[in-house]
Amino acid sequence: MGGEESRPHSHPYMAFLDVKSCNIWYICGGFLIRSDFVMTAAHCEGDFITVKLGAHNINKREETWQILKVKHQFVHPEYNGIRFLNDIMLLQLEKEAKLTTAVNTLSLASRFDSISPGQECLAVGWGWTGPKGLPSDTLHEVEQTLTNPSDCKMSFDSFDERSQLCAYPTCC
């Protein structure tokens, strides 16, 4: 929600996913962590997934696009689809992406890196930018501020601080 359109190709690790599940198509986002692996949410699991890399506007083809099929989906073994706990999945691509200025990997944090309330982070994707309407055609970003997990525990029954972060828009 909120935020603004990203500068084209300023987040070269972003991956747009076309997911087919039970003859229904939907979209998800993810990020390239290796030339042959994308990290996404486990609730994006499907019968068939296509990954689009190097995209800004997902409806206007660009020379930077690389469209790759997913070879294998690795859903977290303790994923809980009802409470969305351990909602994480790795996608192995059929072939390696060609790394360019528009397509590149995102380095994962070390297990020793810590996060704390008050720290700012950036959420990036092609999702909804408001409470109504359709997902965005163009990549958007919004700054978020991490808050105390107790704030989310009071508002969301299924919040679990062991695998989820509590954040709110920095602007509000």
Side-chain angles (χ1 to χ4, degrees), residues 9 15 21-22 25-26 29 38-40 48 50 57 68 73 86-88 103 107 119 140 145 150 155 161 164:
H9 311 295
S21 182
C22 300
W25 286 93
Y26 58 94
V38 168
M39 185 173 283
T40 187
F48 180 79
T50 302
N57 183 327
L68 304 166
Q73 301 171 51
N86 301 303
D87 190 11
I88 192 165
V103 175
S107 298
Q119 194 171 347
H140 276 64
T145 302
S150 58
S155 302
E161 65 183 288
Q164 297 174 319

Side-chain angles (χ1 to χ4, degrees), residues 74-85:
F74 299 93
V75 175
H76 191 289
E78 295 176 30
Y79 169 58
N80 179 320
I82 297 169
R83 296 184 65 203
F84 291 102
L85 297 177

Side-chain angles (χ1 to χ4, degrees), residues 8-9 52-67 102 126 137-138:
H9 311 295
K52 190 180 295 180
L53 302 169
H56 175 69
N57 183 327
I58 49 99
N59 289 322
K60 292 186 179 175
R61 184 156 180 92
E62 300 172 85
E63 289 182 16
T64 55
W65 283 14
Q66 295 181 43
I67 300 173
W126 290 272
D137 291 342
T138 56

Side-chain angles (χ1 to χ4, degrees), residues 109 112-121 146-147 161 164-166:
F112 301 109
D113 290 342
S114 64
I115 54 170
S116 55
Q119 194 171 347
E120 290 190 5
C121 55
L146 297 178
T147 187
E161 65 183 288
Q164 297 174 319
L165 297 174
C166 186

Side-chain angles (χ1 to χ4, degrees), residues 14-36:
M14 287 302 296
F16 181 85
L17 312 179
D18 276 315
V19 181
K20 182 181 181 184
S21 182
C22 300
N23 289 322
I24 297 172
W25 286 93
Y26 58 94
I27 63 170
C28 278
F31 48 96
L32 193 65
I33 60 168
R34 223 172 74 171
S35 60
D36 59 343

Side-chain angles (χ1 to χ4, degrees), residues 73-163:
Q73 301 171 51
F74 299 93
V75 175
H76 191 289
E78 295 176 30
Y79 169 58
N80 179 320
I82 297 169
R83 296 184 65 203
F84 291 102
L85 297 177
N86 301 303
D87 190 11
I88 192 165
M89 174 172 63
L90 286 174
L91 303 175
Q92 183 178 16
L93 304 175
E94 276 191 354
K95 63 180 189 176
E96 291 189 14
K98 181 181 176 196
L99 301 183
T100 67
T101 56
V103 175
N104 216 320
T105 58
L106 176 68
S107 298
L108 296 177
S110 161
R111 66 183 177 131
F112 301 109
D113 290 342
S114 64
I115 54 170
S116 55
Q119 194 171 347
E120 290 190 5
C121 55
L122 193 66
V124 182
W126 290 272
W128 284 265
T129 56
K132 296 181 181 178
L134 298 171
S136 175
D137 291 342
T138 56
L139 190 65
H140 276 64
E141 60 189 73
V142 63
E143 284 191 16
Q144 302 272 298
T145 302
L146 297 178
T147 187
N148 290 314
S150 58
D151 295 344
C152 285
K153 284 182 185 177
M154 291 185 323
S155 302
F156 305 101
D157 293 337
S158 63
F159 180 77
D160 185 341
E161 65 183 288
R162 292 171 298 167
S163 64

